[in-house]
Amino acid sequence: MSRSFYSLIMVILFLAVACVEPPETHVNHDQEALKLVWEIGYDAYVWGSYAAPTVFRDSLLIYSGDGGIHCVTVDSGRNKWTSSYLSAGFMHKAFVMDQAALFGFSGKDKVFSIQLEDGSTLWETEIDSGRTFGYHTALNEDSYFIGTSSRNKRKTIWRLNKVNGTIMDSIITAYMPWGLFTKQGRLFNSNGWYPDNSPYFIGNIVCYDL
């Protein structure tokens, strides 16, 4: 083989080695490191909470992994209040709240609303649910909606008055109400289920006129 061929091979090898070299880290040693302001601990339930902490005015709302609801100050982490409800926080994807109140569930059949300012109970209502799903909820101007599945496999969407917790309506659905949201006087419900003798999960979306 010619010398030029060997030279070409060497150039290719050089380029290949150059491409796999680790990038420079570009550490700025003159920049001050992040400073820890505060930290707090809380009890966990296996994998902790899904819901991210949420800012409310000068405070931070936190779900601990055991379902506890905590309100701490943003500047210092000082505890302002801890709810007496264990709200299965690991099943919440986000806090369900308006400007004054937080809505949730406790256990299998208790729905509640608490005052955001001090954590006191505004109302508490029991529903015949069997099992309540905290992430199957929605909120509009006057109502709180929550989807449940009872012990006899009955799937229900409940509509509660968000001011006093009275049950305004309930809708029996054919399938589990996985996702609820409201828009312009309508309630949207996304369902999901396994068809008989099929390993595949399918679904649909249903729209109700409120």
Side-chain angles (χ1 to χ4, degrees):
M1 296 184 183
S2 65
R3 180 175 298 176
S4 61
F5 177 80
Y6 282 113
S7 299
L8 178 61
I9 295 297
M10 293 299 294
V11 170
I12 293 174
L13 289 174
F14 174 80
L15 292 174
V17 170
C19 288
V20 297
E21 287 184 352
E24 295 182 12
T25 56
H26 298 291
V27 176
N28 185 356
H29 296 286
D30 296 328
Q31 185 173 345
E32 190 174 358
L34 294 176
K35 289 184 177 180
L36 177 65
V37 179
W38 56 262
E39 64 177 338
I40 56 175
Y42 52 74
D43 294 333
Y45 181 89
V46 186
W47 50 77
S49 172
Y50 283 155
T54 299
V55 173
F56 167 70
R57 297 177 188 169
D58 64 343
S59 304
L60 197 65
L61 295 171
I62 300 172
Y63 271 130
S64 58
D66 62 353
I69 307 171
H70 312 277
C71 182
V72 303
T73 58
V74 171
D75 59 351
S76 66
R78 176 183 59 83
N79 184 273
K80 294 181 65 175
W81 54 262
T82 295
S83 170
S84 59
Y85 295 101
L86 285 180
S87 187
F90 63 93
M91 296 190 68
H92 283 79
K93 299 298 184 183
F95 285 92
V96 182
M97 53 189 279
D98 58 19
Q99 295 300 311
L102 174 69
F103 303 84
F105 69 95
S106 182
K108 296 180 178 180
D109 55 9
K110 187 178 297 181
V111 185
F112 65 85
S113 175
I114 60 177
Q115 179 79 32
L116 281 171
E117 195 61 44
D118 60 10
S120 60
T121 300
L122 292 172
W123 54 258
E124 181 182 292
T125 301
E126 290 191 4
I127 56 178
D128 181 19
S129 65
R131 185 180 182 190
T132 308
F133 295 86
Y135 50 89
H136 309 158
T137 60
L139 196 67
N140 69 1
E141 296 80 12
D142 57 12
S143 305
Y144 175 58
F145 303 88
I146 186 164
T148 66
S149 177
S150 69
R151 295 176 181 85
N152 58 7
K153 305 299 183 182
R154 185 180 64 192
K155 283 76 175 176
T156 308
I157 299 173
W158 303 82
R159 181 181 187 179
L160 288 77
N161 184 305
K162 77 174 191 178
V163 175
N164 56 33
T166 57
I167 298 174
M168 302 169 64
D169 196 5
S170 63
I171 305 168
I172 304 298
T173 62
Y175 306 103
M176 182 64 215
W178 283 104
L180 300 174
F181 66 97
T182 62
K183 184 76 173 180
Q184 298 177 342
R186 295 186 175 182
L187 174 68
F188 300 88
N189 167 33
S190 59
N191 301 283
W193 68 93
Y194 285 106
D196 293 338
N197 303 317
S198 172
Y200 300 105
F201 194 69
I202 63 174
N204 63 10
I205 297 178
V206 181
C207 177
Y208 301 97
D209 190 331
L210 292 176

